[in-house]
Amino acid sequence: MKKTFRERAIIKFTAIAKRHKRLHYPCLIMLSVILGGYHACRHFTTNTKRYASVAFVVGFFMSSCSFSFAVFAERTSFTKAQEVYGEIVGDSDVSLAVESERVPTEQILLEDEDLDVEYDIEDDAEGIDTYTIDDILESQDAYASGKGVQQEIEEDYEFDESDWRLVLINKQHPIPEGYSFDFGTIKGNMKCDARIIEDLLTMMQAAKDEGINLEICSPYRDLNRQEFLFNKKVKIYMGQGMSYMEAYKLASQTVTVPGASEHQIGLALDIFCDTYKYLDEGFGETEAGKWLAEHSSEYGFTLRYPKDKEYITSIEYEPWHFRYVGKEAAAVMQEEEICLEEFWDKYL
């Protein structure tokens, strides 16, 4: 009967080992290697179809992984996405952002001139009542007419980082866990932090006295609303051919990342006017935009994302986005032409 390869190898190396005792262990090692290779080859030969099926499944998964990641990222929470984004932009803080050697804005912001993506005010107004300035003011108690007075800051005045008006919210400083505030109603379902309503309505009345009819869009937003707006922007950019992470990075420069939006703490408002109902840079050139830039600090508000500060705020210039910081801080920020991040770095 013809012997198999395995049997012949065993017989041959056993014979050599018996004739030469010094080759006993080398022969044993060689025999183990040969038999191991023999059995491995035999295993793959007899299971060719099985491994071919596995290879096909792995290949299919790898070819579709980019699509799978986009769907996964879109349908899950933003926690993981924010972690990935943090790895991209690096772990920075306020002091890092205001170093003397600053990178020009154009090197930080992605070029989007050819994308033709406009911010639609209806995105924020969807499901939210809209009112004229008269509607809002008439629904509240009467507010004094006349311009506000620029706050005079005492030389020994000390700002406190625990002051609710100065809480720093951005990509590096998300909303603190457990943060809470009392809601105040502007009118209908338009709400914000109750503590800012008096100054807000006084400012709107002062603008009205000068013939400027301000209107409010999207004061307080909850997390679900912020995720909706952010997701919508990501989808628009992905529709332009971007990968998910490219779209995420660009979207975060125009819509604040959920969990790091000042709208969610009721201190930020988007403001436009009856003659210009667009949330874009053009609003800054209107009478209303110029009035707000000059006088909002008199009522405790600051232009949160100024022009030429994008390298610090990581958000594009938004002449319609105003944040309540209190009259003292607003006066300092107005006089020194600094944003909230710079204010924190200098005074807190």
Side-chain angles (χ1 to χ4, degrees), residues 120 122-123 126 227-237:
D120 187 353
E122 293 183 358
D123 288 347
E126 182 181 343
E227 288 183 347
F228 167 78
L229 293 174
F230 190 87
N231 260 332
K232 184 173 183 179
K233 187 65 70 174
V234 170
K235 288 180 181 178
I236 290 174
Y237 288 135

Side-chain angles (χ1 to χ4, degrees), residues 137 140-145 197-199 201-202 205 209:
L137 293 177
Q140 303 285 342
D141 295 332
Y143 285 86
S145 300
I197 288 184
E198 181 176 353
D199 285 332
L201 297 181
T202 303
Q205 179 65 64
D209 291 342

Side-chain angles (χ1 to χ4, degrees), residues 239-255:
Q240 299 289 335
M242 292 185 180
S243 69
Y244 175 78
M245 290 312 301
E246 290 172 335
Y248 182 98
K249 186 175 182 179
L250 184 56
S252 69
Q253 296 171 5
T254 56
V255 180

Side-chain angles (χ1 to χ4, degrees), residues 63-84:
S63 65
S64 60
C65 64
S66 60
F67 172 78
S68 300
F69 175 76
V71 173
F72 172 79
E74 178 182 338
R75 295 184 179 179
T76 56
S77 69
F78 281 82
T79 302
K80 276 293 181 184
Q82 285 180 266
E83 292 176 359
V84 175

Side-chain angles (χ1 to χ4, degrees), residues 260-296:
S261 171
E262 295 176 329
H263 286 284
Q264 291 177 243
I265 61 173
L267 296 179
L269 309 107
D270 293 340
I271 304 177
F272 55 103
C273 63
D274 60 344
T275 59
Y276 195 92
K277 295 181 180 291
Y278 300 96
L279 299 184
D280 59 24
E281 291 192 13
F283 177 70
E285 301 301 318
T286 64
E287 288 188 26
K290 293 177 181 178
W291 189 93
L292 284 167
E294 181 179 354
H295 297 291
S296 62

